Structures are given as structure tokens and as C-alpha cells.
Amino acid sequence: MLILLPPSEGKTSPATGPTLNLAGLSFPELTRGRTATLKALIDVCAKDPKSAASILGLGPTQADEVRVNALLRKAACAPAIEVYTGVLFDALDVTSLGKPARRRLQATTVISSALFGLVRPDDLIPAYRLSGDVALPGIGAPAAHWRDSVSEVINQSSGVIIDLRSQMYANLGPIPAEAAARAVSARILLEKNGKRSIVSHHNKASKGRLVRELADRSAQPSTIDALMKALRELKWKCELSESKKAGQPATLDIIVPET
């Protein structure tokens, strides 16, 4: 099983820890792309902070984030799952997971990143600022920069693929056509008075709880049918719609009631 998560804009800067070692991250085939992106980000932030703030979409009160980027090679690192913060990661609450569940999370889950392509939860990274729609000098659009290499990593995975990424980060590495038959693109729908809609907070919190509950299961689903069975056993209301386009994953709607 492979679960694809979006990152978060919010991050916790580790107080202590080792410095960044790109070669030590999961998926070494992404090292070249990571090296180029890291250099481009550091260069623009160190040499032209004003231009960097504009490129990164930062306001005058966010100058500290430009300085953070300029010093990434010297910054302390911690597990990615603890660096990323926000509603999804709060709901996942990794620090309260037992050791077996934490191992399953590490084995099954990856987090999309405009800087690193993909990282595993326990990969050591620093806090940084780079959104999935920011075109860096010399790199260009992140979707074009990462698409082929990230999609190939996804293609090399085994078992069912659960894509929980936002569209921005799905663009950084779409599910390849060869893997579409074993993949689902999941979305969270809030049900209220018989109507369904996507609501940001419920979307993110539900994704975090879903990943946590799957990590807590000793039996991991390996097919879409097994995934649907597991979700229903976990009391999630879900519906599967096959794609009408060849080479595209099915859509998995997970319906949560308003509480």
C-alpha cells in the first residue's frame, strides 16, 4: 500500500538535530531534483531576499521565512511527519502512535513536497517555505520539474495506492497510467441536510484520522477491494466511482456527517 499525503505550509522548526543530508532521504532517485531545487531556493533567498519574498508569495511580515530558506543547509532537521503541522497532521497525531503503527506509517506513507519531491514520515528534513505552485529561478514550474521522477516512484510501489493529495501536489507527480488500475483518488465530502460538499477543515482532519486508523491496523489492504472492506470495518462511509477516462484512477468518496 502507498498513501500519498500533501504537505503543509505550516512547519515546526526543530530546535536541535542533524543538518540536511539529501543522500539520506528515501527515494535516492530524487536526489538530483532535490539538489537542484535546494540550490535554487537557497540562492534566491540568500542573494536577493526582496525578490525571493515576491517569488514565494510572502508579505512584509514574513521576512523571517526568507532567512530560514537561506540557511537551510545549516538548519536542524527532524522527522518530516513532526516538522509538518496543521489540521491534517494534528489529526494524525503521530507522537501518540504505538511503535508498530509508526513502523506501518513509515512503510506505507509518503508526503509530497515542492522541495524534496516525496519524503517518508521519518526522513529528516528542516522547516522550509516553498509551495507547490512556486516557480524558482532556473527550475521553473515545480510540476514540470518533478512530474516524471515522482510519477516513476509511485509506479514502482506495490499494492493499492491512496492519493490524498490536493490537486496542486498531485500535479507534482500524477498517478501514472500503468498504476491507475490499483489506485484511488480520495476526497472527503461533508454531508449536511442531504447535500455533500468539500470543506477544508473537515477534509484535512478526516484525512489525518483516516491515515492514523489505517496505520493502527495490523492487516494492511493490498487491493482496492480490500481497502474498501477495511474502511467499512473502520466505520467510514465510502463510495467508489470508476474513472470514465482510461489510465485514470478511480474516485473514492469518503462521506463524513456534520457533527
Side-chain angles (χ1 to χ4, degrees):
M1 180 169 67
L2 180 71
I3 302 174
L4 294 156
L5 288 180
S8 62
E9 291 290 354
K11 301 173 185 69
T12 298
S13 296
T16 60
T19 54
L20 181 61
N21 174 19
L22 292 180
L25 300 179
S26 301
F27 314 115
E29 57 268 49
L30 301 179
T31 300
R32 183 175 180 180
R34 292 164 174 162
T35 301
T37 307
L38 180 67
K39 182 180 185 302
L41 181 60
I42 291 174
D43 283 352
V44 71
C45 289
K47 296 175 181 177
D48 191 350
K50 185 176 181 179
S51 177
S54 177
I55 290 169
L56 296 171
L58 301 176
T61 63
Q62 297 173 296
D64 284 349
E65 299 201 46
V66 176
R67 286 192 287 271
V68 165
N69 281 347
L71 298 173
L72 282 176
R73 288 195 178 93
K74 300 178 180 178
C77 294
I81 198 71
E82 297 173 22
V83 171
Y84 292 112
T85 59
V87 174
L88 188 158
F89 295 94
D90 288 347
L92 202 163
D93 192 15
V94 68
T95 57
S96 67
L97 281 177
K99 289 183 179 179
R102 181 76 182 245
R103 287 194 295 269
R104 286 190 286 270
L105 184 74
Q106 170 69 6
T108 61
T109 305
V110 296
I111 305 165
S112 185
S113 166
L115 179 54
F116 301 113
L118 295 172
V119 291
R120 291 282 188 187
D122 287 340
D123 283 349
L124 300 177
I125 65 169
Y128 64 93
R129 182 59 180 257
L130 182 66
S131 297
D133 58 354
V134 171
L136 291 172
I139 297 295
H145 179 69
W146 285 115
R147 184 184 297 116
D148 291 344
S149 56
V150 169
S151 289
E152 182 57 25
V153 169
I154 294 170
N155 196 41
Q156 293 300 316
S157 67
S158 60
V160 64
I161 301 167
I162 310 167
D163 193 352
L164 296 173
R165 296 172 296 175
S166 60
Q167 190 58 55
M168 179 192 296
Y169 287 96
N171 290 341
L172 269 60
I175 303 296
E178 304 94 305
R182 56 186 176 91
V184 295
S185 178
R187 58 182 186 174
I188 308 295
L189 301 178
L190 178 67
E191 191 166 59
K192 179 181 179 181
N193 299 326
K195 296 183 178 180
R196 297 173 181 178
S197 61
I198 297 175
V199 179
S200 179
H201 181 86
H202 288 84
N203 175 49
K204 295 175 182 178
S206 297
K207 286 178 179 179
R209 290 194 299 270
L210 175 64
V211 174
R212 180 186 177 87
E213 291 180 17
L214 287 173
D216 268 329
R217 285 175 56 92
S218 56
Q220 299 288 286
S222 58
T223 65
I224 292 177
D225 286 345
L227 172 65
M228 298 297 290
K229 181 180 178 182
L231 293 178
R232 287 166 179 151
E233 288 174 352
L234 291 169
K235 309 303 182 185
W236 291 90
K237 181 180 179 180
C238 50
E239 299 172 357
L240 187 69
S241 301
E242 295 296 333
S243 174
K244 296 179 181 179
K245 295 182 179 180
Q248 296 292 315
T251 298
L252 173 62
D253 285 338
I254 299 173
I255 301 97
V256 297
E258 185 179 44
T259 55

